[in-house]
């Protein structure tokens, strides 16, 4: 997982407390995150249990594996995946714990941009230039372990460099530290 490395970088750079809620569902399609489905229920339960139920999330780091890009699941076309992803972002924004200024950053799968996941990768890349101000994409280009699964060293780079760079490229929020030392106590999930 790359998200702990992102959280560590955020905490060190902005000199503040960062809380992390991990929700991993390996090998599951995006439909697993539909309203009422296992992953959506899991994240809402975890957030409720954490006590962080107000709009104090810095980011949602989204990294879905090979499902949907490999013909698995009910949503295998790029258009279906795009619709499902933007629906998911809208549902996150409609909760009591994030809003449309919470940064949503998707991590890529393709190490060279030309694999069987290319269509879905193109959908994720669109997050850098869509009309949603606070969405971004962190690529996996140049990693050597192969698509989807990465080495420990690559996971560290993914979180502390690539997700971090995507995060910093998005607009600064009113409650976000500028790195001057004092920081704030906000959550990254």
């Amino acid at each position: 997982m790359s998200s702990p490395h992102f959280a560590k970088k955020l905490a060190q750079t902005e000199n503040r407390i960062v809380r992390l809620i991990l929700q991993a569902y390996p090998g599951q399609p995006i439909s697993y995150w539909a309203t009422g489905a296992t992953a959506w229920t899991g994240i809402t339960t975890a957030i409720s249990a954490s006590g962080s139920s107000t709009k104090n999330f810095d980011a949602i780091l989204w990294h879905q594996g090979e499902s949907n890009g490999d013909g698995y699941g009910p949503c295998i076309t790029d258009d279906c995946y795009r619709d499902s992803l933007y629906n998911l972002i809208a549902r996150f924004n409609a909760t009591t714990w994030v809003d449309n200024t919470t940064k949503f950053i998707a991590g890529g799968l393709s190490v060279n941009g030309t694999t069987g996941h290319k269509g879905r990768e193109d959908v994720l890349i669109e997050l850098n230039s869509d009309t949603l101000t606070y969405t971004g994409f962190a690529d996996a280009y140049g990693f050597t372990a192969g698509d989807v699964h990465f080495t420990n060293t690559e996971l560290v780079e993914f979180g502390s460099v690539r997700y971090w760079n995507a995060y910093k490229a998005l607009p600064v929020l009113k409650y976000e530290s500028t790195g001057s030392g004092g920081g704030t106590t906000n959550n990254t999930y």
Side-chain angles (χ1 to χ4, degrees):
M1 290 189 157
S2 56
S3 51
H5 305 291
F6 171 84
K8 182 177 179 181
K9 176 82 173 188
L10 180 62
Q12 291 172 340
T13 302
E14 298 190 359
N15 190 29
R16 63 184 171 113
I17 296 170
V18 175
R19 296 181 197 118
L20 182 66
I21 294 178
L22 296 172
Q23 288 293 297
Y25 297 94
Q28 298 304 319
I30 197 166
S31 60
Y32 217 61
W33 288 87
T35 302
T38 301
W40 187 257
T41 301
I43 191 73
T44 56
T45 300
I47 288 169
S48 178
S50 77
S52 295
S53 59
T54 58
K55 297 183 185 304
N56 60 357
F57 287 72
D58 291 308
I60 296 168
L61 305 182
W62 175 261
H63 196 97
Q64 184 186 356
E66 62 273 17
S67 295
N68 296 118
D70 60 0
Y72 172 72
C75 185
I76 60 173
T77 68
D78 299 342
D79 288 339
C80 180
Y81 188 78
R82 179 182 295 103
D83 291 346
S84 296
L85 180 65
Y86 281 88
N87 181 276
L88 176 67
I89 293 168
R91 278 187 289 111
F92 273 121
N93 290 344
T95 67
T96 60
W97 21 278
V98 303
D99 61 24
N100 64 357
T101 63
T102 301
K103 297 176 181 185
F104 183 98
I105 305 165
L109 297 174
S110 178
V111 297
N112 61 18
T114 61
T115 68
H117 303 290
K118 181 167 179 14
R120 200 180 74 199
E121 190 87 353
D122 291 343
V123 171
L124 297 176
I125 292 168
E126 290 171 13
L127 293 172
N128 281 337
S129 59
D130 63 14
T131 59
L132 301 176
T133 304
Y134 296 99
T135 61
F137 172 72
D139 73 66
Y141 304 150
F143 287 166
T144 59
D147 287 348
V148 182
H149 303 111
F150 307 111
T151 67
N152 288 337
T153 301
E154 291 168 342
L155 289 173
V156 171
E157 180 180 337
F158 219 164
S160 64
V161 176
R162 298 185 187 207
Y163 270 109
W164 176 253
N165 288 342
Y167 175 82
K168 293 310 286 181
L170 295 172
V172 175
L173 307 177
K174 62 182 175 293
Y175 54 82
E176 194 174 354
S177 169
T178 57
S180 60
T184 61
T185 305
N186 238 19
N187 304 317
T188 297
Y189 300 93

